[in-house]
Amino acid sequence: PLLGACLGVALATVSDVSFEVRGALTAAASACASALLKVLQQDVLQRRDWSSLELMRRTWGPQTLLLVLSVPLLDARADRLPQYEPTAERVGILLLSCAAAFALNVSALYAIKLTSAIAIVLLSQGKTAVTLLGGYLFFDGQPNVRQ
């Protein structure tokens, strides 16, 4: 899952180099929330001795509610969702994406339980560096201060 995430980010960083204040603020808020979530997850996993799957099972409801409430506020194209036409190909891609996200979450929670939140944040920074390097090496992306 980590390799797939790196390739996806590499493609996105090479093909989309525009800057928007709303996107930057959303990214900053996401980074802060992600760091806090990792610390809380580590505390719960280690203090209560839960498994990764148990933590996911106990938190999926509130996380889904938060996602459903935040999408209309953060996605400028959320008004198009009712007109979305699911095809077999789109549903298949969505299911593959869900399976990859599930595997990524399980492995991330497992890593958080065994290490520390700081180690996971450092790993994420390393992943970003490798992604930018991959974009440069494989997709002719030119790293600059905007990336």
Side-chain angles (χ1 to χ4, degrees):
L2 184 58
L3 180 62
C6 288
L7 287 175
V9 173
L11 285 171
T13 57
V14 171
S15 62
D16 183 14
V17 292
S18 63
F19 177 83
E20 293 184 22
V21 174
R22 180 177 176 184
L25 293 175
T26 302
S30 174
C32 292
S34 179
L36 179 62
L37 181 64
K38 284 174 180 42
V39 170
L40 293 174
Q41 287 172 337
Q42 179 189 17
D43 182 61
V44 168
L45 286 168
Q46 291 178 350
R47 188 169 31 93
R48 296 189 183 180
D49 198 32
W50 287 357
S51 69
S52 302
L53 291 175
E54 188 172 7
L55 179 61
M56 289 174 65
R57 182 185 62 80
R58 290 178 183 246
T59 61
W60 76 268
Q63 289 181 4
T64 302
L65 179 63
L66 181 61
L67 178 67
V68 168
L69 294 175
S70 65
V71 165
L73 299 173
L74 299 175
D75 191 344
R77 296 175 284 180
D79 59 333
R80 296 186 204 168
L81 193 57
Q83 290 85 26
Y84 183 78
E85 295 180 27
T87 63
E89 181 182 9
R90 289 176 176 176
V91 170
I93 290 171
L94 180 64
L95 291 175
L96 283 174
S97 176
C98 290
F102 177 79
L104 183 66
N105 284 332
V106 169
S107 62
L109 289 172
Y110 185 70
I112 287 172
K113 184 174 183 177
L114 295 178
T115 61
S116 70
I118 293 173
I120 298 301
V121 170
L122 291 174
L123 179 63
S124 297
Q125 296 301 319
K127 180 183 74 170
T128 300
V130 169
T131 299
L132 290 173
L133 181 62
Y136 176 73
L137 294 175
F138 300 114
F139 301 107
D140 295 327
Q142 298 298 319
N144 57 47
V145 294
R146 291 173 45 177
Q147 291 181 324

